[in-house]
């Protein structure tokens, strides 16, 4: 291995460590606790080293969001691939999405609540974000209904899921009613 390859590998490993530590700190204490000073202390590198990887917290949030998007896509695809039929796949998608949001609140915030400097629904949208949407579209396109644009239907279904996730987390909806909400959403919105 050349010196250059070793340096690139070490740089990539430091970047993974920064993102993993930021994510862990955010999940434990919230995003307000994630500062470059605290990250530098936790990973035992100086703040200038952090700034050589990320210009600041915003870019770190963006990196966590991209990682989370990939994980969300994987979770949705795993759940829907195990379901039989369009209705079951739509319900599995909804459950996987809501479960992901509940299990990963800081990552969910990085994806959909905080400014990570990422472009959404644009030509320059990063691939992990496009793939997460594609994971939803793959299942929801088959239940959109005749004459309904699959992308618009997916956005609407996603918006409903996002509302359920954020309202439940904020204590505005009872968590024990999660399953009836999923059934209602699938039955009425997807109409399958």
């Amino acid at each position: 291995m050349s010196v250059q390859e070793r340096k690139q590998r070490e740089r990539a490993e430091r970047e993974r460590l920064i993102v993993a530590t930021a994510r862990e700190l955010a999940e434990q204490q919230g995003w307000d606790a994630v500062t470059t000073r605290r990250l530098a202390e936790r990973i035992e590198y100086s703040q200038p080293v952090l700034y050589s990887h990320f210009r600041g917290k915003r870019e770190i949030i963006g990196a966590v969001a991209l990682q989370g998007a990939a994980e969300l896509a994987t979770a949705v695809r795993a759940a829907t691939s195990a379901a039989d039929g369009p209705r079951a796949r739509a319900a599995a998608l909804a459950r996987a999405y809501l479960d992901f949001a509940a299990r990963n609140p800081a990552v969910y915030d990085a994806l959909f609540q905080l400014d990570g400097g990422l472009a959404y629904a644009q030509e320059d949208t990063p691939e992990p974000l496009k793939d997460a949407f594609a994971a939803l579209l793959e299942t929801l396109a088959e239940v959109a209904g005749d004459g309904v644009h699959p992308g618009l239907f997916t956005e609407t279904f996603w918006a409903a899921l996002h509302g359920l996730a954020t309202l439940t987390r904020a204590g505005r909806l009872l968590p024990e009613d999660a399953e009836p909400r999923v059934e209602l959403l699938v039955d009425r919105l997807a109409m399958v």
Side-chain angles (χ1 to χ4, degrees), residues 90-156:
L93 178 148
R95 288 184 200 102
Y97 183 98
L98 295 171
D99 183 58
F100 179 87
R103 283 186 298 107
N104 305 284
V107 174
Y108 191 83
D109 286 349
L111 265 166
F112 302 120
Q113 303 286 88
L114 301 174
D115 179 9
L118 303 173
Y120 285 77
Q122 306 293 322
E123 279 190 38
D124 61 340
T125 297
E127 215 39 60
L129 298 178
K130 289 179 181 178
D131 189 51
F133 185 77
L136 301 176
L137 182 63
E138 289 161 10
T139 292
L140 296 174
E142 68 181 337
V143 297
D146 294 337
V148 177
H149 187 280
L152 291 177
F153 179 78
T154 300
E155 289 172 348
T156 303

